[in-house]
Amino acid sequence: MDTNLSRQRWIQLGLGLVAMMAISSPQYVWTLFTKPLIATTGASLPQLQWTFTILIVLQTFFSPVQGYLIDRFSPKLMIALGAILSGLGWVLAARVDTLWGVYATYGLFCGLGTGIVYVGIVGLMVKWFPDRRGFAVGVVAAGYGMGAMLSTFPISDMLTASGYRHTLTVFGIILGAVGALAALGLRAPRADEVLPAPASNLSTCVHDTAPREMLKTPLFWLMFVMMTMMSTGGLMVVANFASFARDFGVADAIIFGFVALPFALTFDRITNGLTRPFFGWVSDKIGRENTMGIAFAAEAVAIALLLVFRENPYAFALLSGVVFFAWGEIFSLFPSILTDTFGTKHATTNYGFLYMAQGIGSLFGGPIAAWIYLVQGSWLPVFAIIITLEVLTAILAYFVLKPMRRNWLGLGETRAMTAKPAMA
């Protein structure tokens, strides 16, 4: 490989990682703001959790359009705009006092902004790294999972010292600026910089599928349902983590010299980040579906153990890290397997459609999970739903997705051979 090309794509990976880290906090530290926002707005927890759902829905449901705009126009300008919108959402949320105001600031601006950045960077990385697609997507996705690791304790401390309004303003400006500056160095690879996928990679397609054609395939909708189920389970934990930690009586316990809740949230960000390049790398070696089956089953076991040891603050904090390690890999595995299956030409727009599954997952994982808790008076039914979804998705990955995709790739090779002109 040309030395300059190698250097360029690793620079792109680094910049993408920084931009992703800058837009991770609106989702992953949201749980820290729920208590003061409930006090300010007078809303109930299920009402407030619609903010989280609005964020994820806008982040995901507009992603096909965002992907198209990024493919059509300058990636760096669109991604910089997304980072600025994300930071602006926090700054504006600090200045409102009503529930609808929170929806229209934190939910609206952060949702649109993070969606542009996330889809744009994933779309760039699958093009720059066809030979290490799972790993590269995992690295930038790790930035989204781990970025809040750097901000969790500072935000928690500033919340205590200065209140949530000052905290949102300061961190909104910092994170928006960092993300925008990193985005200005991003670009798509030129035609002479696009590497072919390794010849030995039998799981990669030979046919680029446009979004309209992709949406007609049962294979895409199977992936969509699977990602919806995995997103639902994971986002039930993300959105309500602080609430059920308090209900289990472990949130304020001291473990390893730290308060249990911010310690667990920071540890979770580490494992949620590390899992993405790790399982992406594993899937490059043993196959996407095999990796999915292993990781999704491990997630079900981790959730069950977390439930069993929920009143032990040490076990709760450490097992929560295992839960996020077994869940966060969906953000490297699904975009990688989608691009393996439907090609790179329309990768950003195609992933925009699949990424909508997380928006549906946020609906079930945020307000509906909180509503089930209020009706049942317990988090146990919510945990039972999560475990069931993880087990079912693991089964689908190995026994349904794998043979369907093998058949699709065989058909793709046949289409390519048929379309190839005959030699004289």
Side-chain angles (χ1 to χ4, degrees):
M1 181 191 303
D2 178 77
T3 302
N4 183 61
L5 172 56
S6 178
R7 182 171 60 252
Q8 282 297 320
R9 68 179 193 157
W10 288 105
I11 290 173
Q12 292 296 306
L13 185 66
L15 291 171
L17 174 64
V18 171
M20 283 287 220
M21 293 176 72
I23 55 107
S24 68
S25 292
Q27 176 174 327
Y28 285 108
V29 302
W30 159 252
T31 190
L32 295 179
F33 291 109
T34 55
K35 187 176 181 180
L37 284 171
I38 286 173
T40 295
T41 63
S44 65
L45 178 62
Q47 289 174 322
L48 186 65
Q49 287 292 23
W50 278 101
T51 308
F52 184 82
T53 299
I54 291 169
L55 187 154
I56 303 297
V57 165
L58 291 177
Q59 182 189 79
T60 55
F61 279 26
F62 282 89
S63 53
V65 177
Q66 293 162 348
Y68 169 78
L69 292 174
I70 291 166
D71 281 338
R72 180 69 177 80
F73 301 107
S74 167
K76 69 178 179 181
L77 293 181
M78 289 297 299
I79 294 171
L81 174 63
I84 292 169
L85 287 174
S86 178
L88 183 62
W90 274 25
V91 173
L92 294 177
R95 287 155 176 76
V96 300
D97 299 300
T98 66
L99 181 62
W100 283 98
V102 177
Y103 292 164
T105 55
Y106 199 118
L108 175 63
F109 284 89
C110 293
L112 291 175
T114 57
I116 294 171
V117 176
Y118 194 98
V119 172
I121 291 176
V122 169
L124 286 177
M125 292 310 116
V126 297
K127 295 175 182 177
W128 277 104
F129 289 86
D131 54 331
R132 301 180 181 182
R133 186 167 289 146
F135 173 76
V137 173
V139 168
V140 293
Y144 191 71
M146 294 180 69
M149 174 187 71
L150 301 179
S151 63
T152 298
F153 272 109
I155 286 175
S156 180
D157 291 342
M158 190 176 287
L159 277 168
T160 301
S162 306
Y164 81 91
R165 294 184 192 273
H166 180 71
T167 304
L168 285 171
T169 300
V170 170
F171 278 91
I173 293 171
I174 293 173
L175 296 175
V178 170
L181 288 173
L184 292 178
L186 291 169
R187 66 177 179 85
R190 298 188 301 268
D192 61 339
E193 294 175 320
V194 177
L195 296 174
S200 60
N201 186 358
L202 300 179
S203 65
T204 300
C205 75
V206 295
H207 173 71
D208 285 311
T209 305
R212 185 187 297 266
E213 183 182 349
M214 180 189 72
L215 292 173
K216 297 177 182 178
T217 66
L219 181 54
F220 168 79
W221 290 108
L222 174 61
M223 293 182 191
F224 189 91
V225 170
M226 290 174 60
M227 189 166 180
T228 298
M229 292 193 293
M230 288 302 300
S231 296
T232 296
L235 291 173
M236 280 181 173
V237 179
V238 171
N240 299 288
F241 189 82
S243 298
F244 59 66
R246 295 187 184 103
D247 274 22
F248 296 159
V250 298
D252 298 319
I254 303 298
I255 58 172
F256 307 117
F258 301 97
V259 178
L261 179 56
F263 173 86
L265 289 172
T266 302
F267 183 52
D268 295 347
R269 298 294 76 76
I270 296 173
T271 59
N272 192 31
L274 291 176
T275 185
R276 302 177 189 209
F278 172 76
F279 277 113
W281 172 79
V282 170
S283 72
D284 286 338
K285 302 297 182 181
I286 70 171
R288 315 294 185 205
E289 301 94 340
N290 295 338
T291 307
M292 285 178 168
I294 294 169
F296 298 167
E299 165 80 348
V301 173
I303 288 285
L305 291 174
L306 182 69
L307 185 60
V308 171
F309 295 102
R310 62 188 179 275
E311 296 180 354
N312 182 318
Y314 286 91
F316 181 85
L318 295 176
L319 284 169
S320 71
V322 179
V323 168
F324 279 93
F325 186 78
W327 174 67
E329 86 293 325
I330 68 173
F331 300 109
S332 58
L333 297 183
F334 278 105
S336 297
I337 198 170
L338 184 80
T339 307
D340 288 347
T341 307
F342 297 110
T344 59
K345 184 177 180 181
H346 309 282
T348 308
T349 306
N350 283 347
Y351 183 58
F353 282 103
L354 182 61
Y355 195 49
M356 292 172 69
Q358 178 151 319
I360 298 175
S362 73
L363 177 64
F364 294 111
I368 292 180
W371 175 78
I372 292 172
Y373 163 72
L374 287 180
V375 170
Q376 298 295 320
S378 170
W379 288 108
L380 298 186
V382 175
F383 276 75
I385 292 170
I386 296 173
I387 293 170
T388 301
L389 292 175
E390 316 295 355
V391 171
L392 179 57
T393 314
I395 293 171
L396 288 173
Y398 193 81
F399 292 102
V400 182
L401 178 61
K402 189 172 183 177
M404 282 184 67
R405 205 167 75 88
R406 186 184 299 119
N407 181 59
W408 168 264
L409 293 176
L411 291 175
E413 292 174 1
T414 301
R415 284 194 297 268
M417 292 175 64
T418 301
K420 187 175 181 180
M423 297 295 290

